[in-house]
């Protein structure tokens, strides 16, 4: 207790170190928060909450309250130490003002204040301030309430005392600048998803989320509380809750190696995909890195050693005549990896790949020790895991034979293209796109209406295989899947290797566009194809290559006015504009497109394919753990969660009229 008090008293203005100024944030906001659309808007919340999480990781904060106010402003309040308010020794102004108005200024740069800290870019709350029309900071510290307000990052007055309190902590409220962001409306689900994730990653902390905006009926959503006393053990159970575990309780470790805190929880289930979600200082490292590499190496090494030394398992492997590959150890695996690194080095396309080499060895050591102990103490579960691995190896070999059989049956497979593909003439992949079109009829219209130079068309007959429900090798026995893989140029098992990782280096198109009917069957086909890419070719999604076309639902005509309407709201707006809301007006004509095949080539081009006028939805992975859970729930064997989901979201479902 005395040590905490000493550290608390040392957290003063001199702890706040200044790196550079704020000038460029408003001029180039995307450089600091990623973009100025919905993603960037929600990043402001994350940056503000990250300050409170830093206090929690340092051991001073237990409760964070996040509120979406009725005017779409955000309030974040914690019970940490409170931002220092004394004079900064270098800038001779309140440390609170320095934190709020100077980029890269904060306690996280002084390792005496925070050993590790969250936040991907380190731009902090000053960036939030710069991108808000108004912001108010209040600090509860030393029995007083300190306050300062800002407009577009500039203080309106010096830090002042506005009252007394027995609380401690920091309260921030900000109003995002509508002249910078394309939207200023916060989505509750996006905020809730991140708060839930932070609660899982920081065991014991309580995060309360309230939304004060009434719905259409004037009702308020009940506040939600996120708390995970068991941390990652609860996280991995949550992610895997629509699957059937084969080992019962998660395998769990929490330790520190070479100064690196490491926490890992994992489960094995009876599915066939690998789902590993890794974090560094609460940041979702979607591209992995040294911590993930260390985990995979140690897991494979531990399981292989156990199987080699167990007489029964060794005989099974010899009888099956298989060699077990590293990928086999991860089939049916769900794992959450969380490490805290004092000086993280990020790399990769999205700067979310950990590069610290020392973390690899630390994780290998921790996982090796934990897995060896678990396997020795749980022989029943150890056998179940290893038998799952043997089945995975058998399926991998069967998948290789399935690919070879396809190539023998179709000599064009090796270097050629499927017969139904209408390819484009341009050979520069950066300039081309392919439409995966539902049905031969729509495919015919698309072939006639397309730009033959840059647009390729691949008609699909019926629904493709649901890859969520089958073993790996079954996917490569599916003609519909192989046609897609051949057309886009994605390869597996290159140069004789049996790896499950897709090779997209020779992908033939920059955009892969799913184009289906605007009805329930079309939506189902969309989901089946997205599942294929998410489970087998996630890099295609991560690199921004997968899209969904948006065909119109209606063509509305009133006298000389003609308009394509993509939603029911668009149709009602047309009626309001030209018919004074009278849907029964006999000069009004509404054509409902039941399918793409009902459009002639010119209509399909104008509405859905023309880059100048079309609306494409890019498929992204904002949160891999949530995406994994959703695909498992929608496409897996467990029916009840899917029924509940459909009932709860029926208002938003794309129901064919």
């Amino acid at each position: 207790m005395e040590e905490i008090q000493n550290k608390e008293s040392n957290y003063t203005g001199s702890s706040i170190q200044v790196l550079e100024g704020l000038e460029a944030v408003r001029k180039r906001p995307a450089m600091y928060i990623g973009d100025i659309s919905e993603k960037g808007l929600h990043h402001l919340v994350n940056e503000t909450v990250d300050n409170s999480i830093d206090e929690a990781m340092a051991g001073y904060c237990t409760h964070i309250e996040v509120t979406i106010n009725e005017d779409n402003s955000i309030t974040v309040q914690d019970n940490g130490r409170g931002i220092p308010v004394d004079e900064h020794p270098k800038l001779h102004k309140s440390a609170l003002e320095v934190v709020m108005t100077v980029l890269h200024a904060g306690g996280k740069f002084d390792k005496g204040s925070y050993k590790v800290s969250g936040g991907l870019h380190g731009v902090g709350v000053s960036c939030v301030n710069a991108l808000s029309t108004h912001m108010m900071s209040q600090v509860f510290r030393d029995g007083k309430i300190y306050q300062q307000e800002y407009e577009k990052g500039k203080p309106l007055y010096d830090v002042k005392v506005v009252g007394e309190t027995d609380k401690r902590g920091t309260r921030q409220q900000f109003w995002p600048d509508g002249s910078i962001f394309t939207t200023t409306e916060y989505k509750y689900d996006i905020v809730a998803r991140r708060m839930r994730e932070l609660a899982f990653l920081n065991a014991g902390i309580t995060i309360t989320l309230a939304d004060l905006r009434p719905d259409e009926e004037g009702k308020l959503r009940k506040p939600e509380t996120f708390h995970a006393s068991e941390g990652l053990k609860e996280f991995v159970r949550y992610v895997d809750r629509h699957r059937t575990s084969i080992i019962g309780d998660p395998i769990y470790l929490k330790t520190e190696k070479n100064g690196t805190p490491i926490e890992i929880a994992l489960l094995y289930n009876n599915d066939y995909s690998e789902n590993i979600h890794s974090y560094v200082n609460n940041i979702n490292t979607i591209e992995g890195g040294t911590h993930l590499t260390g985990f995979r190496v140690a897991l494979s090494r531990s399981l292989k050693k156990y199987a080699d030394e167990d007489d029964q398992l060794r005989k099974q492997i010899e009888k099956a005549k298989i060699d077990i590959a590293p990928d086999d150890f991860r089939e049916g695996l769900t794992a959450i990896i969380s490490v805290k690194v004092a000086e993280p080095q990020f790399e990769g396309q999205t700067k979310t790949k950990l590069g610290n080499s020392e973390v690899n060895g630390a994780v290998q050591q921790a996982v090796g020790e934990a897995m060896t102990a678990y396997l020795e103490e749980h022989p029943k579960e150890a056998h179940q895991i290893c038998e799952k691995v043997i089945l995975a190896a058998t399926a991998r070999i069967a998948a290789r034979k399935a690919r070879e059989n396809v190539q023998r049956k179709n000599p064009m497979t090796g270097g050629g293209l499927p017969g139904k593909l209408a390819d484009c003439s341009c050979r520069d992949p950066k300039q081309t796109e392919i439409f995966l079109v539902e049905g031969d009829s729509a495919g015919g219209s698309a072939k006639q209406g397309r730009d033959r130079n840059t647009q390729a068309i691949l008609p699909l007959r019926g629904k493709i295989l649901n890859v969520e429900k089958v073993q790996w090798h079954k996917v490569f026995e599916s003609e519909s899947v192989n046609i897609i893989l051949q057309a886009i140029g994605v390869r597996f098992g290159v140069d004789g290797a049996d790896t499950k990782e897709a090779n997209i280096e020779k992908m033939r198109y920059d955009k892969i566009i799913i184009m289906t009917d605007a009805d329930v069957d079309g939506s189902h086909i969309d989901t089946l194809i997205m599942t294929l890419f998410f489970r087998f070719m996630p890099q295609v999604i991560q690199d921004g290559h997968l899209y969904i076309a948006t065909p119109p639902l209606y063509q509305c005509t009133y006298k000389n006015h003609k308009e394509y309407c993509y939603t029911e709201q668009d149709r009602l707006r047309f009626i309001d504009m030209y018919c004074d809301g009278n849907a029964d007006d006999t000069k009004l004509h509404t054509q409902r497109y039941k399918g793409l095949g009902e459009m002639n080539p010119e209509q399909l081009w104008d509405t859905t394919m023309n880059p100048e006028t079309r609306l494409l939805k890019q498929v992204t992975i904002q949160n891999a753990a949530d995406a994994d859970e959703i695909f498992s729930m929608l496409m897996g064997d467990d029916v009840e969660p899917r029924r509940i989901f459909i009932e709860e979201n029926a208002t938003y479902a794309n129901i064919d009229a």
Side-chain angles (χ1 to χ4, degrees):
M1 187 66 183
E2 182 179 347
E3 183 182 352
I4 291 179
Q5 288 174 343
N6 287 336
K7 286 182 179 179
E8 190 167 342
S9 63
N10 290 333
Y11 184 45
T12 62
S14 60
S15 304
I16 307 303
Q17 298 183 8
V18 179
L19 300 186
E20 60 179 87
L22 244 191
E23 297 82 12
V25 179
R26 287 184 62 82
K27 290 184 179 179
R28 296 181 179 88
M31 286 181 59
Y32 298 89
I33 58 169
D35 63 33
I36 55 172
S37 62
E38 183 176 274
K39 184 178 179 182
L41 178 73
H42 289 81
H43 189 79
L44 299 187
V45 182
N46 298 340
E47 282 286 355
T48 309
V49 173
D50 279 340
N51 280 9
S52 301
I53 292 293
D54 287 342
E55 282 287 279
M57 288 196 293
Y60 300 107
C61 170
T62 60
H63 191 193
I64 302 171
E65 299 176 50
V66 181
T67 305
I68 307 174
N69 298 303
E70 193 168 358
D71 59 0
N72 262 291
S73 66
I74 296 289
T75 302
V76 177
Q77 182 169 335
D78 65 51
N79 65 345
R81 291 171 291 181
I83 298 173
V85 294
D86 58 320
E87 183 178 287
H88 191 277
K90 182 179 178 181
L91 298 184
H92 304 295
K93 60 177 72 174
S94 170
L96 172 61
E97 183 173 329
V98 174
V99 168
M100 297 302 299
T101 61
V102 180
L103 191 65
H104 294 312
K108 63 180 63 179
F109 301 109
D110 173 50
K111 292 307 171 188
S113 302
Y114 297 117
K115 184 177 180 181
V116 296
S117 61
L120 177 55
H121 304 295
V123 295
V125 76
S126 60
C127 186
V128 179
N129 193 10
L131 300 176
S132 299
T133 54
H134 189 81
M135 188 162 186
M136 181 172 69
S137 294
Q138 289 184 324
V139 174
F140 313 117
R141 191 176 170 118
D142 306 323
K144 297 177 181 178
I145 303 174
Y146 298 87
Q147 179 174 299
Q148 190 172 38
E149 293 181 78
Y150 318 86
E151 284 187 357
K152 299 178 181 178
K154 296 180 180 179
L156 298 180
Y157 48 80
D158 291 339
V159 175
K160 62 184 180 182
V161 176
V162 296
E164 297 182 350
T165 182
D166 56 358
K167 296 180 181 179
R168 72 171 194 176
T170 304
R171 182 184 186 274
Q172 304 279 18
Q173 185 174 7
F174 62 89
W175 290 256
D177 192 337
S179 68
I180 290 178
F181 292 97
T182 57
T183 177
T184 56
E185 182 177 351
Y186 279 98
K187 298 283 184 64
Y188 180 87
D189 289 342
I190 294 178
V191 178
R193 190 180 302 138
R194 178 58 176 164
M195 297 308 109
R196 180 185 299 110
E197 185 177 57
L198 287 171
F200 281 135
L201 291 167
N202 299 274
I205 192 169
T206 300
I207 303 177
T208 303
L209 175 61
D211 189 347
L212 304 184
R213 301 168 300 179
D215 61 17
E216 295 178 354
E217 299 178 356
K219 297 179 180 178
L220 289 178
R221 186 193 300 263
K222 290 183 179 179
E224 201 166 354
T225 298
F226 305 102
H227 178 88
S229 57
E230 294 185 290
L232 297 196
K233 289 180 75 172
E234 292 185 50
F235 198 173
V236 77
R237 287 193 201 106
Y238 175 82
V239 171
D240 236 29
R241 68 189 189 278
H242 300 308
R243 302 185 179 100
T244 302
S245 173
I246 64 172
I247 62 171
D249 286 335
I251 302 173
Y252 177 75
L253 71 94
K254 185 174 185 179
T255 185
E256 184 171 317
K257 296 293 181 184
N258 304 329
T260 301
I262 300 166
E263 186 181 7
I264 296 174
L266 62 95
L267 279 170
Y268 274 93
N269 56 63
N270 60 3
D271 281 8
Y272 312 108
S273 56
E274 169 194 350
N275 306 295
I276 303 179
H277 310 293
S278 61
Y279 297 83
V280 176
N281 301 357
N282 298 317
I283 301 160
N284 187 191
T285 44
I286 58 174
E287 294 182 89
T290 53
H291 56 324
L292 178 57
T293 301
F295 170 79
R296 284 175 164 170
V297 169
L299 181 76
S300 300
R301 188 177 292 159
S302 302
L303 288 171
K304 189 174 190 309
K305 184 174 184 293
Y306 184 86
D308 288 343
E309 295 176 354
D310 184 278
D311 290 339
Q312 182 182 341
L313 292 170
R314 190 174 63 253
K315 289 177 181 177
Q316 282 184 252
I317 295 171
E318 291 171 353
K319 183 178 180 181
K321 298 180 180 180
I322 55 173
D323 290 321
I324 298 177
D327 283 350
D328 302 327
F329 292 102
R330 303 191 296 272
E331 184 171 293
L333 169 69
T334 300
I336 312 289
I337 304 166
S338 177
V339 299
K340 302 296 192 327
V341 183
E343 298 287 348
Q345 300 164 14
F346 291 109
E347 54 189 48
Q349 183 173 346
T350 57
K351 303 300 181 188
T352 53
K353 182 178 182 179
L354 185 67
N356 299 63
S357 58
E358 72 277 7
V359 177
N360 185 323
V363 174
Q364 276 199 49
Q365 184 182 352
V367 174
E369 293 173 359
M371 286 301 300
T372 299
Y374 178 87
L375 295 171
E376 289 177 354
E377 296 168 7
H378 300 81
K380 178 183 176 183
E381 289 82 359
H383 270 250
Q384 289 174 318
I385 293 171
C386 289
E387 286 167 0
K388 172 84 172 174
V389 170
I390 294 169
L391 283 174
T394 306
R396 173 176 48 80
I397 293 168
R400 182 181 63 200
K401 292 179 179 177
R403 290 197 303 270
E404 291 170 352
N405 286 336
V406 170
Q407 291 177 357
R408 279 195 293 270
K409 290 177 182 177
N410 179 9
M412 291 296 289
T413 303
L417 298 169
K420 286 194 172 185
L421 173 69
D423 205 2
C424 52
S425 57
C426 178
R427 288 295 173 260
D428 180 4
K430 294 182 180 179
Q431 307 297 323
T432 62
E433 54 192 32
I434 182 172
F435 288 83
L436 308 181
V437 186
E438 176 188 355
D440 288 333
S441 176
S445 293
K447 287 178 183 179
Q448 295 179 55
R450 66 180 172 137
D451 177 348
R452 294 173 181 267
N453 181 46
T454 60
Q455 294 179 328
I457 307 297
L458 180 67
L460 301 176
R461 180 178 295 174
K463 297 176 180 178
I464 75 163
L465 181 72
N466 180 359
V467 301
E468 190 75 16
K469 292 186 176 183
V470 297
Q471 281 188 288
W472 204 63
H473 69 283
K474 293 290 185 183
V475 174
F476 296 98
E477 294 174 358
S478 166
E479 182 182 4
S480 60
V481 170
N482 276 306
I483 285 173
I484 293 175
L485 296 179
Q486 293 164 29
I488 65 178
V490 172
R491 298 288 181 264
F492 292 84
V494 179
D495 298 326
D498 285 331
T499 178
K500 294 183 178 180
E501 188 171 337
N503 185 330
I504 68 170
E505 290 180 3
K506 295 183 179 180
M507 200 165 71
R508 304 178 63 247
Y509 309 96
D510 182 67
K511 289 185 175 69
I512 301 169
I513 304 170
I514 305 168
M515 189 161 75
T516 60
D517 293 344
D519 59 13
V520 172
D521 282 342
S523 296
H524 189 203
I525 294 171
D526 289 347
T527 309
L528 288 167
I529 297 175
M530 284 191 287
T531 305
L532 170 66
F533 280 95
F534 180 71
R535 291 302 187 201
F536 283 76
M537 299 166 277
Q539 197 64 40
V540 172
I541 301 177
Q542 290 167 5
D543 291 352
H545 296 296
L546 188 63
Y547 296 81
I548 298 177
T550 310
L553 287 175
Y554 307 99
Q555 184 186 62
C556 294
T557 306
Y558 182 79
K559 296 183 179 178
N560 295 326
H561 303 285
K562 183 182 291 186
E563 188 176 313
Y564 292 107
C565 297
Y566 291 81
T567 65
E568 177 65 14
Q569 289 73 20
D570 287 345
R571 185 183 74 87
L572 296 176
R573 179 186 50 76
F574 181 92
I575 295 172
D576 286 339
M577 183 177 296
Y578 297 110
C579 311
D580 294 326
N582 181 15
D584 296 324
D585 192 318
T586 57
K587 291 180 181 183
L588 175 66
H589 176 69
T590 301
Q591 180 181 359
R592 168 69 165 98
Y593 292 116
K594 291 284 186 180
L596 298 170
E598 294 185 7
M599 296 186 199
N600 62 41
E602 292 77 17
Q603 290 174 323
L604 197 55
W605 166 256
D606 288 340
T607 62
T608 316
M609 301 178 69
N610 184 353
E612 300 296 324
T613 57
R614 72 190 181 190
L615 175 64
L616 289 184
K617 298 176 182 176
Q618 188 175 38
V619 181
T620 61
I621 303 175
Q622 298 286 354
N623 184 300
D626 277 334
D628 167 36
E629 185 265 328
I630 289 170
F631 275 111
S632 174
M633 179 266 297
L634 288 177
M635 309 306 291
D637 289 319
D638 198 352
V639 176
E640 185 62 15
R642 184 159 53 246
R643 182 188 64 78
I644 294 171
F645 176 85
I646 292 171
E647 288 178 352
E648 290 178 349
N649 293 274
T651 306
Y652 312 104
N654 183 7
I655 305 298
D656 189 20

